[in-house]
Amino acid sequence: WGSWGWAPASNAWICQDLYDYYAFTEDTKKLREEIYPIMKEAAQFWIQTLVEEEGTGRLVSSPSYSPEQGPYTAGNTFDQSLIWELYKDTIEASQILGVDEEFRNTLIEQQKRLDPVEVGEHGQIKEWRLEDEEGFPTSWDTTHRHISHLIGLYPGTYITAETPEYFEAAKVSLETRGDDGTG
């Protein structure tokens, strides 16, 4: 059963590593010729793939699957955080290179509608958008080795000390998980 490895947003994660290379080296030639074209193509994929969540106007990945746990939902935190980071880095790279202003503006507008992180009723970062709602499966393992819903904390940049509500919720998620995870 291959769902445990199904993660379309991994294209955004790979781009994050590429952009980190640029941030470390400041090799503008490599950014222009190799890194930015890959990032742009990955962002174009999400421009075409995101769907508007009914009733909220948010843009969400759908279907999405939280790594190794599931279930299939729309807009899990893992996907949303990675796409937000991809958009942030691609916007920044476009500005550095002085290219693709119209494309950049599209990313800026879509990024505002991603809203990747939500705090749940227990003060945690929600892994799934529906996890506090009645009827949503409650059989997931809070001590699971993957803490994919915290990817906006690390290696991402969405959750920081400058976002204290999310920063505190990330602490709650980690404390709830405890030290028994294998990852």
Side-chain angles (χ1 to χ4, degrees), residues 30-82:
K30 191 168 190 79
L31 178 65
R32 181 179 311 280
E33 294 176 3
E34 297 178 36
I35 297 170
Y36 178 72
I38 295 168
M39 294 170 63
K40 181 179 178 182
E41 195 165 314
Q44 286 171 324
F45 170 81
W46 288 108
I47 287 171
Q48 296 170 7
T49 306
L50 292 170
V51 296
E52 187 171 311
E53 185 179 57
E54 197 172 319
T56 69
R58 292 185 195 175
L59 294 176
V60 295
S61 61
S62 183
S64 62
Y65 189 88
S66 195
E68 288 197 10
Q69 287 213 84
Y72 288 103
T73 60
N76 72 43
T77 303
F78 176 75
D79 284 5
Q80 297 294 111
S81 297
L82 286 170

Side-chain angles (χ1 to χ4, degrees), residues 148-173:
S148 62
H149 55 299
L150 299 183
I151 200 161
L153 174 66
Y154 183 82
T157 61
Y158 191 82
I159 302 170
T160 68
E162 284 74 43
T163 57
E165 178 187 11
Y166 298 142
F167 201 66
E168 289 304 313
K171 288 180 186 177
V172 170
S173 293

